[in-house]
Amino acid sequence: MDQVAVTGAEGFIGSHLVEALVRRGHRVRAMVLYNMFSSHGWLEVLEPAIRDQVDVVFGDVRDPGSVRQVVEGAAVVYHLAALGSVPYSYSAPRSFVDTNAVGTSSVSAPVTFTAPLPPPTSVPATPSVVGCTFTT
């Protein structure tokens, strides 16, 4: 099966998507936001047989270099990375713009401009990035 990439893989939705993709036979590269504990978030609760098949890469969607590392060679990119707390977004709007808008732009750029035709599909699948579509 094809190589796929998932951003936001450490989250609840992302980890379940990763699990489903592995069960369907895909090779999965999962981007996890770097943290000082080297935690893989919800990926850590997956069955070891599933988890062992996932290529986990620490990175940040706001960093184009980390994004390139994750999406390179992927036939499909599922973009789920986002900050999702609406109440907190009023207190720290810049962090939400940086992650949700700039991060989405960082993910869409290599997908749109470096992919062979037809381009990989990028699917925003969290309420924080819904409305962002990638076209060529």
Side-chain angles (χ1 to χ4, degrees):
M1 279 269 176
D2 289 333
Q3 172 83 34
V4 299
V6 179
T7 68
E10 74 276 27
F12 182 78
I13 297 170
S15 64
H16 284 82
L17 175 62
V18 167
E19 178 181 24
L21 291 166
V22 169
R23 289 188 188 280
R24 287 178 174 84
H26 294 281
R27 292 177 295 123
V28 178
R29 187 174 301 132
M31 179 184 250
V32 171
L33 181 63
Y34 172 78
N35 60 83
M36 64 188 274
F37 305 108
S38 296
S39 170
H40 295 178
W42 281 93
L43 291 172
E44 293 175 358
V45 302
L46 297 179
E47 297 172 18
I50 298 292
R51 199 172 51 237
D52 292 345
Q53 297 181 59
V54 179
D55 177 17
V56 177
V57 178
F58 284 104
D60 191 320
V61 293
R62 298 170 295 182
D63 175 33
S66 350
V67 170
R68 276 192 301 276
Q69 179 185 0
V70 171
V71 303
E72 184 176 4
V76 178
V77 176
Y78 296 92
H79 174 44
L80 282 74
L83 293 179
S85 171
V86 172
Y88 183 65
S89 70
Y90 294 112
S91 300
R94 178 64 186 255
S95 60
F96 283 77
V97 169
D98 286 349
T99 300
N100 298 350
V102 175
T104 297
S105 178
S106 294
V107 172
S108 67
V111 169
T112 303
F113 299 114
T114 63
L117 295 177
T121 304
S122 191
V123 181
T126 174
S128 298
V129 295
V130 167
C132 300
T133 57
F134 306 129
T135 59
T136 57

